[in-house]
Amino acid sequence: MTPRTGHPLTYPAVVTIGALAICLAWAPFGDPEQVAMLGTVVLIILGYSAFQFAGALGYLPVGLPKSGNACRDVGVRRVRQQHRLVSRSWLEFTTGGRTRWLPVYFDGSLVALPQSNAELAGRTVTVAGVRVFPSGRLRSSEPVGRLIDNPSRPDEGAAETVVKVSRVGRRVLLDAQSAVAGPVAGLLWVYVAGGGLAAFAGATVVAAAAAVWLSAVRGSDPS
C-alpha cells in the first residue's frame, strides 16, 4: 500500500463548496425567476451531496452485509471504469458465490492495490487495513464501459503515480470535461426564460459548476 494522500472525501467536499459559492455569487445579479432557479440548484447540490456523504460514512445503507453477517477475508480487486467522460474506481469481490461491484471514492492507496482481502462489516469496508468510502450502492451487474484491472503484483512506481494523479489541478481538469454541457444549458435557459447575454453567461457558469460537482461527488477517478 502507498501512503495516503488525504481523506478521500476532501476533494468532493471542496468541489461541492465551490459549486455552492458560484451559485450564491450569481444570486445578487439575477431577477426573481433566476434567483429561484439558483435556489433550486443549491438545494439539489446540498441534498445529493448530503446523501452521498452519508452513504460513504456509513450513515445510510449501500447494500453491504449487516454487522451480524460480516464477511472477513473476502478476495477483492480494484478496477477502474472508463466510460465516455466517466472515470470511477470500483471494488470487485465475490460474496456468497456472486461477483459484485462497489463504487468507491478515489484513494491513492487504491492505485497500488493488487489482489487483496477486504473486510465488510455493517456499513464499512476495509481493504488491506485501509478504510474505503463507497460512492454508491453495491451492484450485481458489471459497470458499463471499459474496466481496467490493477496489476496482479505491487507496482514499484506506484508512489510517484499517486502523487501525480492526486494533484488538485489534474482532478479538476478531469471533472471539467463534463462542463461542456454548460453552454447548452445556458442556451436552453435563455430560450425558455429569456434574459439576454447576462442570463446566458450566468446559466452557463452555474451549469458548468454543477456538472463538475456532480462528477466529483459521484467519485471520479483521476488515475
Side-chain angles (χ1 to χ4, degrees):
M1 301 293 285
T2 58
R4 295 174 64 83
T5 57
H7 197 285
L9 298 183
T10 299
Y11 173 75
V14 170
V15 174
T16 298
I17 294 172
L20 291 172
I22 289 174
C23 291
L24 296 177
W26 277 99
F29 305 99
D31 57 31
E33 187 176 15
Q34 294 168 347
V35 172
M37 178 57 69
L38 285 172
T40 301
V41 174
V42 167
L43 289 177
I44 291 173
I45 291 176
L46 286 174
Y48 189 67
S49 296
F51 175 79
Q52 284 290 97
F53 293 148
L57 294 171
Y59 295 109
L60 291 177
V62 293
L64 297 176
K66 297 180 179 180
S67 297
N69 297 318
C71 299
R72 298 179 182 273
D73 296 327
V74 177
V76 64
R77 63 172 182 168
R78 175 247 188 180
V79 296
R80 182 167 63 86
Q81 175 196 22
Q82 192 70 48
H83 179 61
R84 297 175 183 172
L85 298 180
V86 175
S87 180
R88 303 177 74 185
S89 274
W90 296 74
L91 296 182
E92 179 184 287
F93 51 85
T94 301
T95 58
R98 299 173 59 187
T99 300
R100 301 184 182 184
W101 291 265
L102 179 72
V104 295
Y105 284 100
F106 175 76
D107 188 321
S109 301
L110 297 175
V111 174
L113 180 70
Q115 184 79 22
S116 187
N117 292 329
E119 177 182 329
L120 283 66
R123 296 175 181 176
T124 63
V125 183
T126 303
V127 180
V130 177
R131 180 179 176 181
V132 294
F133 297 85
S135 61
R137 291 187 60 84
L138 186 73
R139 55 185 290 174
S140 57
S141 58
E142 182 177 291
V144 298
R146 181 186 178 193
L147 299 183
I148 303 171
D149 297 342
N150 264 24
S152 58
R153 297 181 179 180
D155 184 0
E156 295 181 357
E160 291 77 8
T161 301
V162 170
V163 173
K164 178 181 177 181
V165 303
S166 299
R167 293 171 180 165
V168 174
R170 177 186 173 93
R171 302 193 68 172
V172 172
L173 183 62
L174 169 68
D175 292 335
Q177 296 179 84
S178 56
V180 296
V184 177
L187 289 173
L188 181 61
W189 175 257
V190 172
Y191 176 78
V192 173
L197 183 61
F200 169 75
T204 297
V205 171
V206 170
V212 175
W213 157 79
L214 183 60
S215 179
V217 82
R218 293 184 70 241
S220 58
D221 185 329
S223 64

